[in-house]
Amino acid sequence: MHARNYWGKTLTTIILTIGGILVALPFIWMILSSFKDEKEVLSIPPTLIPKHPTFHHYIELFQNLNFGTYFTNTLIIVVFSMFGLLLNTMAGYGFGKFHFKAKEFWFIIVLMTMMIPGQVSMIPTYLILNKMALTNTMAGIVLPGLVAAFNIFLIRQFMETIPDDLIEAARLDGAGEFYIFFRLIIPLSKPILAVQIILTFIGAWNSFLWPLIVANDESLYTLSVGLSLLQDENVTNYGLQMAGAAFMVIPILIIFIIFQKYIVEGFNFTGIK
Amino acid sequence: MYKLKSKATPLFFIGPAVLLLVIFSVVPILISIGISFTDMNLIGLANWAQIKFVGIENYIDLFTDKVFIKSIGNTLFYVIIGVPLAVISSFVIALLLNQINKWLSATFRIIYYMPSITNIVAIAVVWGFLYNQDYGLFNYILSVFHIDGVAWLENPHIAKLSLILMAVWKSNGVSMLIFLAALQSIPRSQYEAADIDGASRWQKLIYITIPAMSFATFFVTVTTLIGWLQFFEEPFVMTEGGPLDSTNSMALFIYQEGFQFNEFGYGAAASVVLFAVIILATILQFKLRKSE
């Protein structure tokens, strides 16, 4: 019985290892190819490890292409997305811990927006931005995705577990509503906020559709839009393409590997079991 | 009930988020429905007085538009092949991960989740290289086994499957975590009881694990289905719907009409059709779940 179990585990590990290599293959290939020169990257049979490793492509991204600007814009979007998370948190707290008129009605509206697919609201959202004269501005890129109903819902689920007495006691001590939110609620919400911060960061860093639709000037391009432009303009320069992709992907992978345990734990808050 | 100094306090907390959701989610749906009955385009955008009411003309045109019909067919193909593939593969990965020790499982979990957090354009760039007919790694590996190179993205039939493969690779992570959470919440005592009764691995899987996961499976299936009905980014960045519209999807059709041809009214009509399909599919799933 034990022997069978042992072989079962070994077989499982082997299958998972092969699967893992296949899943990781595009990443490995991207990183290795980004250090190959233009000839080597197209050589058949391909080399695995670069023969003459070069940083040339990475330097070119910043010297000849505008990756510095794209990087700055992407960071600006990340900062705004954190403001969006603050709004989500406020709304989650409002729905979770207050009683007010028409609360049910507004919460149902919030839940309903979860069912509206992005592509369905794409055209009218653009028309609204156009009417507000926000096309080709940073505000126009950021606003459509600033708040997310699903995140409000998750945060509210968490807020409901905070005891009312705690908030009540703070009020009796004379604390203002602002003070309670920032000094009591936010520190108590660390577990849910940790996962939200990471996922919001990743989402903002990766955002593609709205920057693409709204930004006309290259000065407003984000990394994803810039990378897509690079691909169109350097069709066969795969070394450069891989370097651009790696610059986009590796920071996120590092952040993810450091903080992944919060994401995994975060799935317990969804209550799907 | 506690007394607030001001009735405006809750409004202050929920106001900004709710306002933004209304402006960028609720209002757009209403506008979509509204302009789908008009001929709104670039001229109409500049001068609203130029917009004409055309009744259901857009909808009639849609269902005689060969590209749209093809997009519907392709979307169905994506859903029929992609959804079972995505659900089953993430389920199997979760099952396997649950059987090995914690440390290994945590390491593999990171690897299998990585594609989910990777930017779609970067994925398109890397997979475009892997799929390249002449210089790509995939065709080189095939040539080692003396198999002819495959036109991964150039052949209309294969291109759809290539996109599905890439999308499944990308989407497995999230579903896998949901399945893992569900697996870990099954009480150990059930398996121990089955062991005492001498149940085999298969029996345990079929009589304990799968029934205990029915809600998680339902949830993953519904969200995966909705996701695949909106299949957009993969064909958009990899093939732009080609070759010969063979990878075009309904969602991509909306984008093309709206932002490449500036036919806002016509595109909006297509988006209303997609919205209706998504709602119908969701209702159907819930009905099936109830009858079970």
Side-chain angles (χ1 to χ4, degrees), chain A residues 112-123:
Chain A
M112 269 173 48
T113 62
M114 258 160 48
M115 296 183 48
I116 300 171
Q119 286 90 26
V120 173
S121 50
M122 189 162 60
I123 291 175

Side-chain angles (χ1 to χ4, degrees), chain B residues 86 89-90 93 112 116 167-177:
Chain B
S89 64
S90 53
I93 294 171
Y112 285 98
S116 318
V168 169
W169 172 82
K170 179 170 166 58
S171 72
N172 266 339
V174 178
S175 315
M176 171 195 79
L177 286 190

Side-chain angles (χ1 to χ4, degrees), chain A residues 253-268:
Chain A
L253 286 188
I254 292 171
I255 287 175
F256 168 66
I257 289 169
I258 296 173
F259 296 107
Q260 50 93 17
K261 82 168 207 273
Y262 295 105
I263 297 185
V264 175
E265 281 165 9
F267 272 81
N268 299 328

